[in-house]
Structures are given as structure tokens and as C-alpha cells.
Amino acid sequence: MDNTSYIEISKKAYKSNIRFLKKVVGDNVKISSVVKGNAYGHGCEQMIPLAEQNGINHFSVFSAYEAKQIANYISDTSDIMILGFITAEQLEWVIENDIEFYVSNVDGLENAGRIARLFNKKAKIHLELETGFKRTGIEPEEFDRIILYLHENVDNFEVKGICTHFAGAESIANYVRVKNQLIQFKKHNKYFIKNNINAEYLHASSSSAALIYPETRFNMVRIGIAQYGFWPTLEVLMTRNNKYGDRDASLKRVISWKSEIMAIKKVKKSEFVGYGNSFQAAKDMTVAVVPVGYNNGYSRSLSNRGHVLVHGKRAEVVGVVTMNTITVNITDVKNAQLGDEVILIGSHNKNKISVASFSEMSNYLNYQILARLPMNIPRFVVE
Ligand SMILES: *Cc1c(COP(=O)(O)O)cnc(C)c1O
């Protein structure tokens, strides 16, 4: 092991997730695979070819910077869509290379038009509409200027999409807001159609909405977390379970993150473990030190909270997560030795622990922890 930990990507789990998601959304809905944040920490270099093997040919990233990175791994027949940030200089590269991108205001459209004209290209745009998310998106007052500009510059634009983003479809508490957004979105789209702006794709859904609100799928969905085998929230899983009988295992975790035991220590009742006094042993115990800390992507917020698997048994993190180590309680693990495998994310088949580490905790933490897995952890695709 060159590094202190490594990541395995399961081909079989990913294939199963894509098959499941295709069944959910149906044949007429295109799946754009969201691979921002280095494919949610899974690694674009590994995930993109795998996705292409499974019939995915559309990839979404946040920035032009990320688009440049994935351009190295993507095949000529796949498309890239930028959902977020592009600097003025990057816009030239984006348009020259036929990268699709969101336009969310008049300025953005005019800049794109100017550059497309200069390079004699058609900018491939997705018009992002404001429907109530109030982050980015074209305001209804701007629609007429947008429409006029598009008609005046027909040679320099291809309207690939009309889209929006929901303000939290993963929680039923946001249901009314999401429903209103959907109404606005449909109404706005009609206005564009009436004015002869016909987009090839209409899209609004990320994983949550795509899974639980069929009417939000239109003909494209942007799937991030679900393709990696994580439910966006427990609520989304419960809703799928009630309506369709899906279980946790309907989505399979693609990632495993592993390290090994570097030290073992006996701790006596009432002794403190690690820095400071955040953990005091309530009884005699055995702890193991694992060479992964917040510098390696193991969030400090998992201090005294996270879990790992050793020999298939859950071992909780005791004390604080340091820059390069965690300490875990292995009192109940028989015969643990130096060098034994420690699973930080993933499962251990024989003992049927299907969910390890932190996945039962806040799902927001899942997104965050995955996205923060450093680039330099070696990643391997396994069967
Ligand atoms: C991140 C993102 C998605 C994917 O969200 P998931 O919940 O991971 O499926 C889709 N659309 C936009 C605009 C995003 O930023």
C-alpha cells in the first residue's frame, strides 16, 4: 500500500445501480451522470469509463475546471454539461469544444453569443430558469430579452435544454415548495415553446425527485448520489419502499474505502484516549490506531461518532479524529492483529453488515465526506 488507505470501486454494484435507475426512470428519459466533486469522491478516472460501459453518455460537472479534467477520461461520443461556474476565459474553451453549459442570466447568454460568433460555432446551452430555488436561474422578467437574443442569433446557439433545480426534493417538508416549482417550470417552458424556443431536453430532477416524483422526470434526469449507491435521504428510501417496495439494497454502495491497523493498545478503565479529554474509557478496552485522519478525508466531525469495520465487526471511533489517524474501539473484535484490514466505508459480506461507517448518520454528511475524499488516495476498479 503506497498510501495509507485505498478505494475500491465495484463494477457489479454500479452496473446494478444503473440498471435499477434505468428501470425507475424508463427508456425515454436520458440519465446525465453527475460527476462533480471527482465523481463524489469515487474518482472520475475510474467512474467515467465504467459509466460509459453501462450505456451512460452524458456527464454533468459543476465548473469548466472540472469539465477540463473529465475531458481526459471521456470518449468522443459522450457529452459534458457544466451546471455552474465558467470564467470568461474558460468560456472560449467550452464553446470551441462543444461542451454544453447552463446559462442563467442575460449577461451569460450575450457573452456566449459573442464568443460563439467569433469562433463561428453554435454554443450548446441549457437555459436554467428561476422557479423558486433562488440561487441561480433566469428570472421571468428576463425571458423576453433571452428569447429575442436567441432569435437574433440563431446561427450561434443550440438550445439543448431548459432546466431548473428543486430546493430540496429529498425531504417531504419541502413538498409544497417543490410542487410550486414544478408548476412554474411547466408554465415557463410553455412560454418558451410559444415563442419558438424548443429545447431538446427538459430537466429538473436530481436523484431525489427522479426517484420519488415521476412527473418531474421529463426527458432527462441528473443523477448524482443514487448512481453511487446511496439514498439521498432515508425519507426518499421510505417513500420508494411504500410505493414500490424498494429496499435499502436496491441501491448498492459502489465505493469501499479501506486501510489497516497500524497500532493496538490496551486502555484501562478511566484512562483518556488520544488528544485532550473527549474520550474516557468507561471500562478496560482495546483500541486500534488507523492511519487515516482529516487530512485523508476522514471528517473531524466523526470524532467519537464514526464507525469502521474490523473483521466485519463495527468498531466505533473513540476520541478525536486527528490529521492523520483515528483510534477505534476493537475490544469486541477477536484476534485483531497489526496490518488487519479496516473498512472505513463499505461492507463485509460474510458478516452481513451491509452498511458500514457513517451511512446511517446524516446523509448530508455522506455527500460531504464522499466529496472530500482526496484525489491522491489510490482507486481501483474491482469486479
Ligand atoms: C449536484 C447536482 C445534481 C445531483 O444531485 P444528487 O442529489 O446527487 O443526485 C443535480 N443537479 C444539479 C444542478 C446539481 O448541482
Side-chain angles (χ1 to χ4, degrees):
M1 192 158 67
D2 280 343
N3 210 297
T4 63
S5 68
Y6 62 98
I7 284 169
E8 286 176 351
I9 298 298
S10 164
K11 248 184 180 170
K12 195 171 142 211
Y14 189 75
K15 185 176 178 180
S16 162
N17 294 341
I18 293 300
R19 199 190 298 133
F20 171 75
L21 290 164
K22 279 185 175 166
K23 212 175 79 193
V24 167
V25 302
D27 290 338
N28 302 322
V29 179
K30 191 181 181 81
I31 293 178
S32 179
S33 161
V34 181
V35 292
K36 64 192 181 193
N38 196 27
Y40 291 48
H42 290 62
C44 281
E45 187 177 352
Q46 290 74 23
M47 290 311 299
I48 288 173
L50 192 54
E52 288 178 338
Q53 284 164 33
N54 285 282
I56 302 287
N57 62 7
H58 197 274
F59 295 91
S60 294
V61 291
F62 178 72
S63 60
Y65 175 79
E66 288 185 331
K68 278 191 186 180
Q69 306 248 295
I70 75 164
N72 297 317
Y73 312 124
I74 214 158
S75 80
D76 293 341
T77 50
S78 290
D79 295 311
I80 301 176
M81 174 165 81
I82 300 171
L83 311 166
F85 188 65
I86 305 172
T87 66
E89 302 90 74
Q90 289 167 333
L91 195 54
E92 292 184 10
W93 175 82
V94 167
I95 291 173
E96 258 197 294
N97 288 280
D98 296 319
I99 311 278
E100 300 173 20
F101 60 100
Y102 274 26
V103 163
S104 53
N105 52 48
V106 174
D107 278 356
L109 186 72
E110 290 178 355
N111 287 338
R114 197 166 33 77
I115 290 167
R117 218 174 306 122
L118 208 62
F119 289 94
N120 202 16
K121 297 282 292 186
K122 273 183 186 275
K124 297 187 170 185
I125 59 167
H126 291 253
L127 298 171
E128 188 197 7
L129 308 186
E130 174 60 57
T131 57
F133 186 40
K134 290 290 169 188
R135 193 175 63 176
T136 50
I138 303 167
E139 296 285 346
E141 302 84 73
E142 299 175 301
F143 289 172
D144 287 338
R145 282 179 67 193
I146 298 271
I147 290 164
L148 182 65
Y149 191 83
L150 286 172
H151 284 313
E152 285 173 352
N153 295 276
V154 277
D155 293 339
N156 295 113
F157 287 103
E158 188 178 334
V159 182
K160 293 293 286 185
I162 287 186
C163 55
T164 195
H165 191 56
F166 293 127
E170 69 281 354
S171 172
I172 212 78
N174 301 324
Y175 178 69
V176 174
R177 190 166 168 204
V178 168
K179 210 175 87 180
N180 283 330
Q181 281 190 271
L182 185 63
I183 292 168
Q184 293 300 315
F185 184 56
K186 286 183 180 164
K187 190 180 94 186
H188 294 339
N189 181 51
K190 272 198 192 126
Y191 187 75
F192 279 89
I193 291 173
K194 200 180 90 189
N195 285 283
N196 289 315
I197 305 290
N198 292 286
E200 186 178 344
Y201 292 104
L202 212 54
H203 53 105
S205 297
S206 56
S207 298
S208 303
L211 284 163
I212 60 179
Y213 301 131
E215 69 277 21
T216 64
R217 290 176 197 140
F218 302 102
N219 63 349
M220 185 193 259
V221 291
R222 306 179 303 259
I223 303 288
I225 196 90
Q227 72 182 308
Y228 306 107
F230 292 87
W231 293 93
T233 55
L234 196 56
E235 272 182 81
V236 171
L237 168 57
M238 303 281 273
T239 308
R240 285 292 310 180
N241 181 269
N242 285 339
K243 282 196 197 157
Y244 310 99
D246 290 337
R247 293 166 305 120
D248 181 45
S250 303
L251 286 175
K252 303 185 191 325
R253 312 287 185 272
V254 168
I255 197 171
S256 299
W257 182 23
K258 297 175 179 176
S259 184
E260 62 179 62
I261 294 177
M262 70 177 276
I264 293 178
K265 264 197 200 310
K266 301 279 183 203
V267 177
K268 288 227 166 7
K269 180 178 170 177
S270 85
E271 286 182 325
F272 292 98
V273 175
Y275 286 117
N277 54 8
S278 87
F279 184 84
Q280 186 175 26
K283 52 185 182 185
D284 289 358
M285 59 193 287
T286 310
V287 299
V289 179
V290 184
V292 170
Y294 58 80
N295 191 39
N296 314 98
Y298 201 90
S299 173
R300 220 167 168 278
S301 62
L302 293 167
S303 297
N304 286 311
R305 281 181 78 195
H307 287 89
V308 301
L309 293 177
V310 182
H311 297 190
K313 279 220 160 67
R314 286 170 72 93
E316 75 269 20
V317 172
V318 294
V320 295
V321 174
T322 74
M323 189 182 286
N324 294 105
T325 63
I326 51 174
T327 303
V328 298
N329 178 3
I330 56 163
T331 310
D332 296 333
V333 181
K334 299 279 168 289
N335 301 320
Q337 308 283 324
L338 295 186
D340 283 358
E341 182 180 86
V342 174
I343 299 179
L344 302 157
I345 304 179
S347 58
H348 190 285
N349 303 335
K350 271 178 290 184
N351 291 307
K352 289 192 188 147
I353 295 179
S354 61
V355 198
S357 56
F358 24 76
S359 32
E360 285 113 309
M361 288 191 228
S362 158
N363 284 275
Y364 297 108
L365 207 52
N366 268 345
Y367 280 80
Q368 198 186 88
I369 286 163
L370 291 170
R372 281 188 188 165
L373 288 172
M375 301 278 259
N376 66 4
I377 299 178
R379 288 163 170 83
F380 308 99
V381 177
V382 299
E383 279 309 309

